[in-house]
Amino acid sequence: MSHIDDTRDDVAADEARQRRRRINDAFRSGDLHVCLEEIAAGLAADPDDESLGKALVLVQSRYLAEVIEPAVHASQWDSAEKSLAMLRSVGHLNPEVQKRVEACGDLVRHRQRSIAEEQLDVREKTLRRAEEAWSAGRKREARDLLRSLDGLPLDDHDLVLRRDGLRRLIEQETARPDRDGVQPHNAARWVFILIGAVVLAGAVYTLRGVVSPNPVEAPGPTATPAHDPEPAPLPQPPDMGWAVIHTVPEEAEIADGSGALLGLAGEALMLPAGTHTVRITADGFQDTTWVVSIAAAESTAATISLAPVLPAVGTLALHSSPQGAEALLDGSGRLGTTPLEVSLAPGRYRIMLTADGKVPEWVDVHIAPGDVCDTTITLWTRYHFGKLQINATPWAFVFVNGDSLGSTPLTTGDLATGVDHEAMFKRPDGSIIRQRVRLDPKRATPTPLTVGAATPAVLSIATRDSLSGRPTWATVWVGSRLLGESPGEFELPPGEVTLRVEREGYSPLVHTLQLNQGQRIALSLTLEPLEQ
């Protein structure tokens, strides 16, 4: 049953859209009769349709301004009366339109009544001429004048009596077979009848003049005029113009400031001259307002692009090299195994990736509404043991974790990675230098450790992505020597140093600088992603 109801609703909505387009086409072509008929049919189907009610007001105003009022001003009273009847039959007249319709109707009725009275006056004069012609013996003229009144309405009862009396006299005169053969007493009878008719007609005419509703002077109160007073001048219709609003996407509704629907995108919307604020809405897009200025009898067009509605969440697309790493949100909540896509509320997160035999990696991500944050992390092999490559200037005896290893230069045996080791250098002059060192579990080659008479410079290196501006890691080289990964601090001997910073997917960066003894330098470098 619900499916049937939905189907009926779809059919009704489709019929409403087709009707709106027919109304729009008829309005553009100027066929206002069709406009009124379609709107009346639509309101009969849905009396609460605010858009049709709005359109009806506009069409009624235009129908008055372009059809009825021009007919009134051109004295086309019958045409104006028919058009008024058409407009009244539709109904739903708002107060302004109702006032203008009543003004036009009063004027039409007044003029029609004046015309009827003028016609009646002409017919009364014709009848009087016929009576005078008969009395003067011009019987043919009297008959012709009486025939000219045949078929014409005589709304005055006295005129009807006079016309019928004269017609009987003429008929009786015409029916006499032989005027010379009439007996004297019959002739006298007809003379008396004729005199009586004339006297009766004169008395009636005199009586009508005595009780005339328009006496020249009256001793008492002023008599009521026979004609209605002249109606007030017609109110002027408001100046109207048109606006055609195209939208991207094409399917959109346009409403006025109060929320009442004006029409659809691409339709010609008739609005009063002036400035209007309209609201444009479409499913899946943000509401947009537009201010339009309407000039009288002119059309304004515009194309508006609507912004899509952003979802309340964003997406994290996480990959690792190699794939299959476990992703932990802020180090605790499990997200899944790479590759993965997960929806997250907007904000900043710290993600940790772990895998067997790999060094855990951390990455900071920012999730924006409706955006996809695509991130790829490289996991390095974990080395549980590494070596130290030790040198000193001048030479020295080396002790690591208390074990004597010999004199420099030397390379140690396997040492555990990820923990601190203590290296002690004993010089021939008896001086001792102690240094703590931690082996990088991601480093496959021996870690260099050099001490000398000169105090090394300390170089702090940080790298970031040029597009996102977020910090990122990279490998740092000096010649063929790997210093380590950024961000980090590195000790380098004084002198000119050429750094090479590399990371897969980014352009290599070469930077040359001069280091002084004991100097501490903070260096921030920006990596440019390779074009895909």
Side-chain angles (χ1 to χ4, degrees):
M1 189 66 180
S2 175
H3 175 69
I4 295 176
D5 293 339
D6 292 343
T7 302
R8 290 174 178 172
D9 292 342
D10 293 341
V11 171
D14 184 63
E15 290 179 352
R17 283 193 296 271
Q18 292 180 5
R19 180 178 295 111
R20 189 176 286 110
R21 295 194 180 279
R22 290 197 299 269
I23 293 172
N24 185 57
D25 292 341
F27 187 83
R28 285 182 175 180
S29 63
D31 194 347
L32 301 180
H33 287 85
V34 173
C35 269
L36 289 173
E37 292 173 354
E38 290 289 347
I39 292 174
L43 289 174
D46 185 5
D48 299 327
D49 192 329
E50 294 183 358
S51 64
L52 287 180
K54 190 85 173 181
L56 179 60
V57 174
L58 297 176
V59 174
Q60 287 172 343
S61 298
R62 186 176 174 186
Y63 192 76
L64 273 168
E66 297 183 9
V67 178
I68 297 177
E69 291 171 347
V72 171
H73 293 303
S75 300
Q76 297 173 353
W77 310 113
D78 292 340
S79 175
E81 184 179 23
K82 292 179 181 178
S83 299
L84 283 170
M86 170 69 180
L87 192 58
R88 291 192 184 99
S89 67
V90 176
H92 304 280
L93 300 177
N94 73 335
E96 179 186 353
V97 174
Q98 179 70 35
K99 180 179 179 181
R100 294 167 61 191
V101 168
E102 291 176 355
C104 289
D106 291 343
L107 185 57
V108 170
R109 285 191 297 272
H110 173 78
R111 293 304 302 155
Q112 286 180 331
R113 189 156 43 247
S114 298
I115 292 173
E117 291 175 354
E118 292 173 0
Q119 292 175 348
L120 182 62
D121 187 57
V122 171
R123 292 165 190 168
E124 194 273 337
K125 291 180 180 179
T126 302
L127 182 57
R128 188 189 308 166
R129 288 172 55 199
E131 291 171 341
E132 293 173 351
W134 181 264
S135 299
R138 301 191 302 272
K139 298 180 179 180
R140 180 181 298 276
E141 180 182 350
R143 284 196 297 269
D144 293 340
L145 289 172
L146 192 61
R147 287 195 190 100
S148 67
L149 297 177
D150 290 345
L152 298 178
L154 294 177
D155 297 332
D156 191 290
H157 183 65
D158 293 340
L159 293 181
V160 173
L161 292 177
R162 290 167 58 191
R163 180 197 63 186
D164 293 344
L166 183 58
R167 178 178 289 133
R168 283 194 294 272
L169 288 176
I170 294 175
E171 289 175 351
Q172 291 172 358
E173 178 68 18
T174 304
R176 294 179 62 181
D178 186 2
R179 185 178 181 91
D180 296 334
V182 177
Q183 299 296 326
H185 65 276
N186 289 337
R189 184 183 62 183
W190 285 109
V191 170
F192 286 122
I193 290 175
L194 178 59
I195 294 173
V198 173
V199 172
L200 177 63
V204 171
Y205 182 77
T206 303
L207 180 62
R208 182 171 179 268
V210 171
V211 298
S212 172
N214 294 304
V216 177
E217 293 183 0
T222 303
T224 302
H227 303 291
D228 293 336
E230 289 291 334
L234 295 177
Q236 294 299 316
D239 293 332
M240 308 298 288
W242 293 268
V244 181
I245 303 175
H246 301 279
T247 59
V248 179
E250 295 181 355
E251 297 292 333
E253 293 183 345
I254 302 171
D256 61 13
S258 65
L261 184 64
L262 296 176
L264 302 178
E267 295 181 351
L269 309 176
M270 188 168 74
L271 297 170
T275 301
H276 303 268
T277 299
V278 298
R279 180 175 296 275
I280 307 170
T281 59
D283 292 338
F285 292 84
Q286 300 180 31
D287 292 355
T288 301
T289 57
W290 182 60
V291 178
V292 54
S293 296
I294 300 296
E298 293 186 5
S299 177
T300 300
T303 300
I304 308 297
S305 295
L306 306 183
V309 175
L310 296 178
V313 298
T315 301
L316 172 64
L318 189 60
H319 306 270
S320 65
S321 178
Q323 302 282 21
E326 184 177 20
L328 300 176
L329 180 65
D330 293 330
S332 57
R334 186 177 186 276
L335 292 177
T337 302
T338 60
L340 61 85
E341 284 192 6
V342 61
S343 296
L344 296 174
R348 295 186 178 276
Y349 299 91
R350 188 170 176 81
I351 310 296
M352 184 178 72
L353 293 179
T354 63
D356 292 340
K358 303 294 181 181
V359 179
E361 293 287 347
W362 293 83
V363 61
D364 294 320
V365 297
H366 176 259
I367 303 299
D371 195 10
V372 177
C373 180
D374 197 340
T375 303
T376 299
I377 305 300
T378 299
L379 298 179
W380 296 88
T381 301
R382 174 187 287 278
Y383 294 97
H384 296 281
F385 297 96
K387 300 178 184 296
L388 281 174
Q389 188 177 38
I390 303 176
N391 200 358
T393 302
W395 67 274
F397 290 103
V398 179
F399 298 84
V400 176
N401 298 327
D403 296 331
S404 176
L405 300 182
S407 60
T408 58
L410 62 83
T411 300
T412 68
D414 289 337
L415 298 173
T417 60
V419 297
D420 291 339
H421 300 277
E422 184 181 55
M424 184 181 70
F425 298 85
K426 187 175 183 180
R427 297 184 182 280
D429 60 2
S431 62
I432 296 176
I433 299 175
R434 299 180 185 274
Q435 189 168 336
R436 302 186 71 83
V437 63
R438 176 175 292 191
L439 299 182
D440 188 348
K442 296 184 288 185
R443 188 180 182 90
T445 59
T447 300
L449 178 61
T450 302
V451 296
T455 303
V458 178
L459 182 60
S460 176
I461 300 177
T463 52
R464 63 181 62 250
D465 186 288
S466 64
L467 295 181
S468 65
R470 295 194 297 263
T472 185
W473 65 269
T475 56
V476 182
W477 300 75
V478 175
S480 60
R481 175 188 167 194
L482 177 65
L483 292 183
E485 290 186 356
S486 66
E489 289 188 350
F490 309 97
E491 292 185 349
L492 294 172
E496 186 178 85
V497 176
T498 299
L499 302 175
R500 189 174 76 257
V501 182
E502 298 178 347
R503 179 175 174 177
E504 183 179 0
Y506 292 84
S507 299
L509 181 65
V510 177
H511 189 78
T512 301
L513 69 164
Q514 181 70 35
L515 299 178
N516 299 320
Q517 180 176 329
Q519 184 181 19
R520 299 187 67 87
I521 298 178
L523 191 62
S524 179
L525 302 175
T526 301
L527 299 179
E528 297 289 341
L530 293 173
E531 294 183 359
Q532 299 296 325

